[in-house]
Amino acid sequence: ASAQFVCLQKDQGPLDKQVVDQRHDIADLTDDLTDFSATATLVSAFAFVVAIETSVAHLAAALGLPT
């Protein structure tokens, strides 16, 4: 099995953005996250979410995804 890593961090700092841009194994989809509904649609396609204490972690749990 393989994993796909997706960055959902809005308003990344310049150093964080640089790291994500350099990593070809991380899909940065933050430009597609125009509102919370778009985020919910994307997150609902995941098998699980690994996150720090953020609204995305709460959203994933509310959608019934393992976090």
Side-chain angles (χ1 to χ4, degrees):
S2 63
Q4 169 94 32
F5 297 96
V6 179
C7 178
L8 302 175
Q9 180 63 47
K10 298 292 279 181
D11 302 321
Q12 298 173 38
L15 292 177
D16 293 332
K17 179 73 173 149
Q18 181 181 11
V19 169
V20 171
D21 288 345
Q22 290 175 352
R23 297 279 307 264
H24 299 291
D25 60 334
I26 300 175
D28 186 356
L29 302 178
T30 54
D31 289 341
D32 298 324
L33 304 178
T34 55
D35 57 28
F36 216 53
S37 178
T39 304
T41 299
L42 178 63
V43 168
S44 67
F46 297 161
F48 60 90
V49 172
V50 177
I52 59 170
E53 182 67 25
T54 66
S55 60
V56 172
H58 293 281
L59 176 62
L63 293 170
L65 292 171
T67 56

